Amino acid sequence: MKLLFELSGEHPDLPAMELECVGTVLDRRAQVAVAECPEPEAAGRLALTHVVMEYLGECEPTRAAFEDLLRDLAITTAKPFVGRGKMIQGSRMDIERLDLEKLIGSLIAGPVSLRDPVEEYRAVVSEDRCYFGRVIQKIDRGAFEARNPMRRPFFHPGVMMPRMARALVNISLVRPGEVVFDPFCGTGGILLEAREIGVRILGSDFDPAMVDGYRQNLPGSDVLVADATAVPICDGALDSVVTDLPYGQSVRIHGESMDLLYDGSLAEIRRILRPGRRAVVVTHRDITPIAARHFTVLQEHEQRVHKSLTRRILVLG
């Protein structure tokens, strides 16, 4: 099924990259993407998407072109519906959003209900295109806020927020029922998000205090006290690895230097990962040359967290 996605604006690339876990991206503009998705219901796992729609069509960003599109579609519905419009910053539509919504209401045959609609038809204008779809799902961002790290039984500063953790799990392309491993699991935030979408989880950390905290946050989950450069896992046993590598002097590490730790842990990730599968690693400086010794670097992204911290995200295969 061809779906239309209204994406989060919190990163220029990661929201579209995340879509690969549910389908093949066919087209994209700022905060919009179109993808072919064999299982539309799987889109509920996404973190950096606002709205999921059945793709109905697209046109030039003009009133005349949009009117022609709606007339060609000749949509008829017995269900009360509402028309909504979204203008992405930088879009070039020649009418205002409210006029766009009025056109939807007037050119779809059916009962309009602004107060209690059963269906929502949505136009999203981005750059040089106007996309049109029927809403089938809105991602509940409040559920991520409910899993805020400060609300967990065990909290440690500097942990990743749930939406980003979920996005990285999705970018790893791990599927429900498969196994994801985090060799620097800390308090378990990444694996908590993986478990929420039906993925089997395994964590390890060299710091026993972190492992104890992990057990408080994810009771009953498998976790090891282990050196990330020598984990007791068989070759090619895991479907994906997602991890936030340690940095600075505030973490307890086992290794002569950070570079040795990074090199040794990436070599170990390569060993235990199934051929053809992905690892997603986060660092706070550029370790691309180290990663390239063991993997093909598929993607590189940066995310500015605050003035003194920029995350560097590597997708490795």
Side-chain angles (χ1 to χ4, degrees), residues 57-119:
E58 62 185 88
C59 63
E60 297 293 318
T62 67
R63 180 189 184 102
F66 189 61
E67 286 181 347
D68 288 344
L69 174 63
L70 289 176
R71 290 193 175 96
D72 289 344
L73 289 170
I75 299 169
T76 299
T77 180
K79 299 175 181 178
F81 77 93
V82 66
R84 299 293 185 204
K86 174 74 172 182
M87 303 289 198
I88 305 300
Q89 186 175 6
S91 60
R92 300 190 289 272
M93 193 76 180
D94 64 357
I95 59 174
E96 298 297 322
R97 178 181 58 83
L98 290 178
D99 293 326
L100 197 65
E101 295 176 350
K102 289 176 182 177
L103 283 176
I104 298 171
S106 64
L107 294 175
I108 291 179
V112 175
S113 174
L114 300 180
R115 179 171 295 182
D116 193 23
V118 175
E119 291 187 325

Side-chain angles (χ1 to χ4, degrees), residues 26 37 105 108 198 204 213 223 245-246 267-268 275 284 292 296 302 310-311:
L26 306 175
C37 301
I108 291 179
S204 74
V223 63
L245 298 178
E268 194 70 342
H284 301 84
T296 299
E302 289 190 356
T310 296
R311 286 196 182 107

Side-chain angles (χ1 to χ4, degrees), residues 18-75:
E18 185 190 21
L19 297 181
E20 293 181 10
C21 73
V22 297
T24 302
V25 176
L26 306 175
D27 184 26
R28 58 178 286 201
R29 297 289 192 282
Q31 292 182 236
V32 182
V34 178
E36 187 65 42
C37 301
E39 299 177 15
E41 63 277 6
R45 70 185 281 178
L46 298 171
L48 303 181
T49 289
H50 291 305
V51 184
V52 183
M53 293 162 271
E54 177 188 3
Y55 172 90
L56 298 178
E58 62 185 88
C59 63
E60 297 293 318
T62 67
R63 180 189 184 102
F66 189 61
E67 286 181 347
D68 288 344
L69 174 63
L70 289 176
R71 290 193 175 96
D72 289 344
L73 289 170
I75 299 169

Side-chain angles (χ1 to χ4, degrees), residues 119-138:
E119 291 187 325
E120 179 180 327
Y121 293 88
R122 195 168 181 87
V124 184
V125 186
S126 178
E127 299 178 34
D128 60 343
R129 299 301 285 169
C130 176
Y131 298 90
F132 187 62
R134 181 180 63 85
V135 174
I136 58 176
Q137 189 170 10
K138 293 184 178 181

Side-chain angles (χ1 to χ4, degrees), residues 74 88 130 141 156 164 179 187 197 213 215 223 243 258 269 276:
I88 305 300
C130 176
R141 293 172 74 85
H156 189 269
M164 182 54 61
V179 180
T187 63
I197 56 173
R215 290 191 174 113
V223 63
T243 193
M258 297 302 292
I269 291 169

